[in-house]
């Protein structure tokens, strides 16, 4: 079944996983430089330039199948990762 951007579902899933991996690596690097504190996550447009310095390509912030931008969880804004009891 083709996805919205002409990608097959398998291609879209693989691209989504690649995006998440790139974002995860950049975010871990950011956390190391900022004492384990997450960045400001209230504005989705502020995150790409912030994480670009840590290797996250701008294309990693959008769904490959629809080009919709991933929205950050605003409740995690400026929180220390060590405060979380579980990843969920």
């Amino acid at each position: 079944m083709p996805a919205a951007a002409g990608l097959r579902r398998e291609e879209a899933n693989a691209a989504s996983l690649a995006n998440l991996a790139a974002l995860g690596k950049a975010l871990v690097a950011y956390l190391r430089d900022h004492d384990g504190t997450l960045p400001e996550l209230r504005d989705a447009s502020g995150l790409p330039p912030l994480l670009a310095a840590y290797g996250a390509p701008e294309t990693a912030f959008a769904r490959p199948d629809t080009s919709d931008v991933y929205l950050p969880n605003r409740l995690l804004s400026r929180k220390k990762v060590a405060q979380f009891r579980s990843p969920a």
Side-chain angles (χ1 to χ4, degrees):
M1 174 176 196
L7 297 174
R8 291 189 341 257
R9 183 181 310 260
E10 296 82 16
E11 294 169 330
N13 287 344
S16 289
L17 289 174
N19 284 352
L20 290 173
L23 292 175
K25 287 179 184 178
L27 193 53
V28 167
Y30 177 92
L31 290 169
R32 284 188 190 124
D33 284 351
H34 293 87
D35 195 32
T37 302
L38 290 166
E40 179 66 46
L41 299 171
R42 298 187 193 283
D43 180 11
S45 66
L47 202 52
L50 183 69
L51 293 183
Y54 296 95
E58 192 169 324
T59 56
F61 293 89
R63 288 182 48 179
D65 57 340
T66 65
S67 298
D68 291 336
V69 176
Y70 295 120
L71 298 176
N73 184 339
R74 294 175 177 182
L75 297 176
L76 300 177
S77 190
R78 309 284 300 148
K79 301 283 184 191
K80 282 198 171 277
V81 173
Q83 295 173 323
F84 304 138
R85 282 190 257 180
S86 76

